[in-house]
Amino acid sequence: MNTRRAAAIALARGVADAIGEDPPVDVALCPPNVYLSDVAEVVAGTPVGLGAQNLYAADDGAFTGEVNAGMLTDVGCRYVILGHSERRALMGETDAQVNDKLGSALAGNLIPIVCVGETLEDREAGNTEQVVGTQIRGSLAGLDEVRAAGIVVAYEPVWAIGTGKTATPDQAEEVHAFIRGLLGELFTSDVAAQIRIQYGGSVKPGNAKELMGQPNIDGALVGGASLKADDFIGIVQAS
């Protein structure tokens, strides 16, 4: 809820123009639902993908105010973010609900970006792996190896979102390596190697290169820095 229509269009145009026709990494924008169609028009015919910030698990029905996978693909979405820490904390989303949404997203041919991460209290208590592991097991429950290979996992330490604090590259890599290992246990090592694991938590142009240079960090789920085209492009170029 940090932008309006004109700003969303301008941001999308700035990103699409700056990355050119053959960017070195995959790039996607996830605007608020009310601006998805506007941004879709801007990025049509460019390498920039379109994603939504959430979906509802049902295929249809009387769920006033909700948006499902079919609606998102209708307006050109390829990606959807699921289980973002703000939705878990503020809207009370559970791992089971994220899991339901995951199934709906995959059935609707969307690439889900499944978010996991610990609070500052969890980290200080030494519970990072326990919390993140529980979230992954619950959110990905019932997923087979074929479908698992196509998902994205985003590690977003809650204590580093919107706070200006960033996990050090070593801290981030440690958790990413744990996630990769757990995915290998849940599926296979080959599948785990195919799953992209993004880092999200105050990623900026100045720290992106070092973060993205870690062995198990495959990309970034960008928050505040994505609101300015120059900052976002700086992260893309650093990746």
Side-chain angles (χ1 to χ4, degrees):
M1 289 173 57
N2 289 310
T3 191
R4 295 295 182 269
R5 180 174 180 269
I9 291 172
L11 174 62
R13 185 169 291 121
V15 171
D17 289 346
I19 69 166
E21 297 181 359
D22 188 25
V25 295
D26 290 336
V27 178
L29 298 176
C30 300
N33 287 347
V34 290
Y35 304 134
L36 282 170
S37 293
D38 294 309
V39 173
E41 290 184 16
V42 175
V43 302
T46 79
V48 180
L50 183 69
Q53 297 177 10
N54 184 41
L55 62 68
Y56 193 69
D59 292 333
D60 52 45
F63 302 101
T64 301
E66 299 294 343
V67 175
N68 65 22
M71 294 173 176
L72 296 181
T73 55
D74 269 352
V75 295
C77 285
R78 188 183 178 203
Y79 302 90
V80 61
I81 299 171
L82 302 177
H84 192 282
S85 63
E86 291 159 358
R87 295 203 59 84
R88 289 177 184 268
L90 302 178
M91 284 72 176
E93 285 193 7
T94 65
D95 294 332
Q97 289 173 316
V98 174
N99 185 244
D100 286 342
K101 293 181 179 187
L102 174 67
S104 181
L106 291 169
N109 296 315
L110 289 166
I111 298 173
I113 302 170
V114 182
C115 301
V116 297
E118 83 282 15
T119 64
L120 181 60
E121 292 77 13
D122 293 328
R123 172 163 281 273
E124 290 180 340
N127 294 330
T128 294
E129 292 188 359
Q130 177 184 343
V131 171
V132 172
T134 297
Q135 290 174 341
I136 288 177
R137 289 186 180 90
S139 298
L140 306 187
L143 196 61
D144 60 43
E145 293 176 6
V146 173
R147 294 189 302 165
I151 72 169
V152 177
V153 174
Y155 168 58
E156 42 166 21
V158 179
W159 50 272
I161 298 175
T163 63
K165 298 180 180 179
T166 309
T168 66
D170 287 344
Q171 286 175 321
E173 168 61 18
E174 182 180 11
V175 181
H176 277 243
F178 164 74
I179 292 172
R180 186 87 65 193
L182 177 57
L183 293 172
E185 294 175 13
L186 295 175
F187 308 108
T188 68
S189 58
D190 287 342
V191 169
Q194 293 180 63
I195 296 175
R196 293 185 179 185
I197 308 177
Q198 298 179 321
Y199 172 76
S202 296
V203 180
K204 304 177 181 68
N207 61 27
K209 187 175 184 63
E210 192 172 6
L211 284 165
M212 298 309 116
Q214 300 302 310
N216 287 290
I217 299 181
D218 302 321
L221 183 64
V222 186
S226 68
L227 297 173
K228 297 180 179 179
D230 289 345
D231 285 349
F232 187 68
I233 291 302
I235 294 170
V236 171
Q237 293 172 340
S239 302

